[in-house]
Every structure is written in C-alpha cells, then in structure tokens.
Amino acid sequence: MAEAVWELLERVAGRAAPMEELRELRLAVQAVPPAALRGRLSAQHLTALFQLLSVDDREQVAACVSILERLLQALDPLWVIRNLREELQKGLFHPDDSVKILSIAQVGRIVENSDAVPEILNSPELLRQIINCIGGERIAVAKELIVEISSVSAESLNYCANSGLLSELIGELTGDDMLVRATCIEMVTSLAHTPHGRQYLAQQGVIDKISNIIVGAESDPFSSFYLPGFVKFFGNLAVVDSPQQICERYPVFIEKVFEMAESHDPTMIGVAVDTLGILGSNVEGKQVLQKTRSRFQSLLSKIGHQAKSAPTELRLRCLDAISSLLYLPPEQQTEDLLRMTESWFTSLSSQPLELFRSISTQPFPDLHCGALRVFTAIANQPWAQKLMLDSPGFVEYIVDRSVEPDKASKDAKYELVKALVNSKTIAEIFGNQYYLRLRAYLNEGPYYVKAVATTAVEGAE
C-alpha cells in the first residue's frame, strides 16, 4: 500500500487537475501507518499538494487538506518548519477555514517542539506574521495557539501582548457569552502554568478579576457554565505558585471549593473533588486544608461516601483525589503530618480500609485500580502498614496474583507491592515472613505466572 501512495503522489505532482488521483490518494494514505510514510516523503510531494489548494474547488481543497493532515503527521515539526515555511504562511491567509486550521495545527506542533520552536522565535517577522494572521480569526484553535506561543517565553508573550490578542482573550473572560467565558478560562489556565504567564496575568489584574467573578457567581443564574473552570484555574495556580499565599489572598477560592463539594450537584462536586486533589497534592496545600479543621474532616466523610456510592465517573474522581490527599513522600513524613493523614483516612469512613478493599474487589477495572492507588498512596506510612497487617486476610490479598484480571490491575497491584517493599518500616511492622513474600513478588515482576507441574499418566490420551 505504501508503494501505491508514492505512485499516486508522483502522478498528482505532475498533473494540473488530478481529482481522480486525489480521491485514490486520500484513501491510500489512511490505510498506511504514518511511520511507514516518513522515509520517502519529500518537500516536492508536499509543495505540490499545497499548490493544489489555490483553486476554487471545494472537493479538491477538502481532499488535499485530508491528505496533508495525514502526511504532515508523519513528519518531524523541525523538518516541517524548515521545508514548508512559505506554504504554512500562505495557508494561514487561505479563505477556506479547513486550510487555516491545518496550518494553525502545524504551527501548534512546531511551537510545542523544543527543537523546532526556535525557528519561529528567532524569526521575529515570521512570528509577527503568524500572530497577525491568526489574530483576525474567530476560530477557537487560533486562540489556543496564541496561548501556546505566549507560553514559550517572555519574549513571545510580549509579541502576543503587543498585538492586542491577549487583552482580547482576557476581555472575553468578563464578557456576556458564558460559553466563550468557559473556553477562555481554560486557555488562561494554560498560560498560568509558566512563571512569565503568571506574572503577566497578575500585572493585568486578571487573577483579581477571576476572584471577583467567583464572588459575583452567587447571584448569576448562568454561573454553572463557567464557575467550574474558574475554580480549576485557582486550583492549578495554587499548586504551581504557593497554596498558602493563593488561599490567603483569595479566600473566596477555598470557600467556593468547599461550597461546591458540600452541594448536591454531581458536576460541582466532581470539580471540587478534582480541585481538592490538586490543592492537596503537596504538603503546603495539605496544611492549608488542615487549617479548616472540622469542616474538611466532615467533607472527607462525604467524599468517602461518594467513593462508595456515587455514579462510576465521580467515584473514580473521588478515589484519585483521596490518593493525592493522603500521599506523603518519605522525606516529608514528620509526626505531625503522619497524624494528619491518619486522621484524614479515618474521617473517610467508619472502616476506611474495608471500604477501599470492597471497592477493589468489584468487577470494574477502573474502580479496582483506583482503590489500589489509594492503598499505594498510604503504603509507605507506618500507621497504614499497621492497619493492613491488623486487617484479616489483607496481606494475603496483596500477594494473591489471581485477583488481578487484566494488565492495568496487575500494574496497579505491582505499584502497591513496590511502595510497601521500598518503605523503611515495612520489615519491622509486617515481620520477616510477609516482607520476604512481598520481596519475592516484586522480584518476579507484575505478570509472573507460577508454573503448574503436570504428571504424565501412562496410557492416557
């Protein structure tokens, strides 16, 4: 099939109106893996296809876009920018949206590639052209690309800021279109992942604006469209910045997270649980939550209940958040923090170990693995090891390979065993016999199958 692709490419390159060949080529490239196309593709082949986009024939343009999408996917972004720079620039000005989106998507691949992006950043004229071209577009992917370019460096952010595109995006955060607002906050959250992006957002007063919108959401009947994204923004900001400073400066954020988690709306509960998991993924964030005392303890009880009986998707999100909240790296296991994670664990349910064990025995691989990840999160903490040892049959369950039906489950169980074996306190708490069984499991690997000896019986068929 790859040979057929080369033949068709040659024929297309040599004809002025090759519609029949384009139809065949469109089908042929879909049947060949991208990697198989990489070796013999030349700039000449691709330039010929780009030239065929300059006609007023919708079918021909659609066929060429489909073929180029497949072929360009096979090529390294650095090769694309070095060999097809002019074609991509023309594509950004094309009257057909599908060609613009094709070109914007390729620029996006180049921006995300550390080897290729200097080709754009070291060419201010090209960067300016790209920004100006996509600035006039109302296509969502154009806005995403502006954020991607802004995230690369402080210099590229300045180009985008000077073009007025970032202020336009920020303006839409406070606009009347709730769905546009929801899309924009996702992009602004991406920008907040870089130090220069956070600095720009702070200088422009964007973080204060977002905080004020959350305050005003109380009286807005349409707030459910955008509020989840605004709360997630602060969750992500807290983790990359300082959870304590963000929560102290914007108390409405943590208050809103608690309100959402305490509500009866599954969508809001899901976002709140995700945000608590993000916030509590480092020690400083855990300490911020601990300061709320009994309110967080009672919220944990609700999260434990949701993990047991909510719809599957929310149960999974609760399990992931619980894992994130309870995990403590060995070097941060002070007595106070260990007491805190133990009290959080006991707040989840009257019998939390049995709760997660019952979830782990259910015939749903995602839930099964989610529960195993909770055990893995606490496996290196002495109080949890004592609980596991004191729970009848629990250690046998850990070393029993027959209860793991699929690869994901076997991998999750192996991570649990690894976390236990690598703990400094495990040999002392579990005792030598159990410790050696866990060591043997670890050494045998996740997919070990014990050989079953068979005895041949004389005369048997």
Side-chain angles (χ1 to χ4, degrees):
M1 186 57 85
E3 285 304 319
V5 170
W6 308 130
E7 282 176 32
L8 287 163
L9 278 169
E10 294 293 339
R11 277 157 53 194
V12 165
R15 293 192 57 181
M19 199 55 236
E20 194 53 49
E21 286 85 350
L22 285 173
R23 287 192 196 101
E24 287 182 48
L25 183 56
R26 187 179 193 170
L27 293 171
V29 295
Q30 296 301 329
V32 180
L37 299 169
R38 195 172 294 132
R40 287 168 59 184
L41 269 179
S42 71
Q44 186 185 348
H45 290 137
L46 294 155
T47 303
L49 286 165
F50 271 106
Q51 284 169 351
L52 291 170
L53 293 168
S54 58
V55 296
D56 187 18
D57 181 333
R58 270 194 157 167
E59 189 185 1
Q60 181 168 311
V61 168
C64 288
V65 166
S66 178
I67 294 162
L68 281 165
E69 276 175 348
R70 186 72 173 169
L71 296 178
L72 291 169
Q73 186 187 337
L75 296 167
D76 183 71
L78 182 58
W79 189 95
V80 172
I81 185 63
R82 283 183 174 169
N83 292 277
L84 300 169
R85 179 182 300 225
E86 202 176 311
E87 286 74 15
L88 291 179
Q89 282 175 262
K90 284 179 185 170
L92 291 167
F93 289 104
H94 201 281
D96 190 300
D97 273 359
S98 67
V99 181
K100 282 177 186 160
I101 290 170
L102 169 76
S103 304
I104 288 169
Q106 290 307 311
V107 174
R109 286 181 69 219
I110 292 158
V111 168
E112 288 175 347
N113 183 287
S114 56
D115 294 327
V117 73
E119 296 281 329
I120 289 180
L121 298 182
N122 295 335
S123 173
E125 189 51 41
L126 173 62
L127 183 58
R128 223 173 274 122
Q129 270 188 314
I130 290 168
I131 291 166
N132 290 339
C133 290
I134 61 183
E137 295 307 319
R138 309 307 298 171
I139 311 169
V141 71
K143 289 179 186 164
E144 286 171 23
L145 186 54
I146 284 293
V147 171
E148 281 181 19
I149 292 172
S150 300
S151 299
V152 171
S153 69
E155 186 186 13
S156 63
L157 185 144
N158 285 337
Y159 277 121
C160 294
N162 293 338
S163 72
L165 295 171
L166 281 177
S167 48
E168 185 185 315
L169 178 71
I170 287 159
E172 289 179 340
L173 275 179
T174 51
D176 294 331
D177 189 324
M178 298 304 154
L179 295 176
V180 170
R181 200 185 264 194
T183 307
C184 288
I185 191 65
E186 283 186 28
M187 297 182 201
V188 171
T189 302
S190 299
L191 193 56
H193 282 124
T194 64
H196 62 271
R198 289 195 295 281
Q199 187 180 2
Y200 174 80
L201 293 173
Q203 284 168 348
Q204 299 297 312
V206 176
I207 303 171
D208 291 334
K209 273 183 192 166
I210 293 171
S211 174
N212 291 336
I213 289 169
I214 293 175
V215 173
E218 202 71 46
S219 55
D220 183 354
F222 299 106
S223 64
S224 60
F225 285 109
Y226 60 81
L227 193 57
F230 280 53
V231 168
K232 279 183 191 169
F233 167 81
F234 270 109
N236 283 283
L237 185 66
V239 166
V240 293
D241 205 329
S242 157
Q244 189 172 336
Q245 283 179 19
I246 294 296
C247 292
E248 282 176 2
R249 183 164 179 192
Y250 304 102
V252 66
F253 157 59
I254 197 76
E255 178 58 35
K256 186 55 72 176
V257 172
F258 277 100
E259 272 179 33
M260 288 163 74
E262 289 159 357
S263 75
H264 298 289
D265 181 339
T267 304
M268 294 298 176
I269 295 170
V271 172
V273 163
D274 292 346
T275 307
L276 288 168
I278 293 167
L279 187 60
S281 61
N282 65 32
V283 166
E284 190 182 321
K286 292 184 207 297
Q287 288 168 326
V288 167
L289 294 170
Q290 178 69 351
K291 281 180 186 169
T292 66
R293 299 292 173 192
S294 59
R295 191 172 183 191
F296 185 58
Q297 301 275 6
S298 60
L299 192 55
L300 284 167
S301 173
K302 180 169 182 180
I303 293 172
H305 178 72
Q306 297 285 357
K308 181 183 178 182
S309 50
T312 303
E313 195 225 351
L314 183 51
R315 294 178 74 185
L316 289 170
R317 291 163 82 174
C318 288
L319 290 170
D320 283 344
I322 291 165
S323 301
S324 175
L325 288 163
L326 293 176
Y327 177 69
L328 268 183
E331 66 277 9
Q332 292 177 323
Q333 290 185 11
T334 63
E335 280 186 30
D336 284 351
L337 289 173
L338 285 167
R339 264 198 303 273
M340 179 190 76
T341 52
E342 183 176 9
S343 74
W344 287 5
F345 187 72
T346 54
S347 297
L348 289 163
S349 164
S350 56
Q351 292 187 300
L353 200 74
E354 296 314 310
L355 165 66
F356 298 115
R357 192 170 168 187
S358 71
I359 295 172
S360 77
T361 57
Q362 291 176 9
F364 305 107
D366 288 348
L367 288 172
H368 176 75
C369 292
L372 286 174
R373 283 194 294 273
V374 173
F375 292 139
T376 306
I378 59 174
N380 66 1
Q381 299 177 50
W383 61 262
Q385 292 169 4
K386 287 170 188 162
L387 273 182
M388 291 176 185
L389 186 67
D390 292 342
S391 175
F394 191 84
V395 182
E396 280 76 10
Y397 162 72
I398 295 174
V399 293
D400 181 2
R401 291 181 181 272
S402 68
V403 295
E404 309 310 330
D406 52 57
K407 182 181 182 300
S409 302
K410 290 181 192 336
D411 288 340
K413 175 68 80 69
Y414 189 71
E415 289 303 314
L416 168 56
V417 172
K418 192 196 295 184
L420 285 166
V421 171
N422 290 340
S423 164
K424 288 178 180 173
T425 54
I426 193 71
E428 182 190 340
I429 291 171
F430 268 36
N432 216 30
Q433 184 190 349
Y434 282 140
Y435 172 63
L436 291 174
R437 284 178 70 184
L438 289 167
R439 277 281 300 272
Y441 190 116
L442 188 71
N443 293 335
E444 288 160 358
Y447 315 119
Y448 175 77
V449 178
K450 195 172 183 178
V452 178
T454 54
T455 308
V457 180
E458 195 177 341
E461 288 299 319

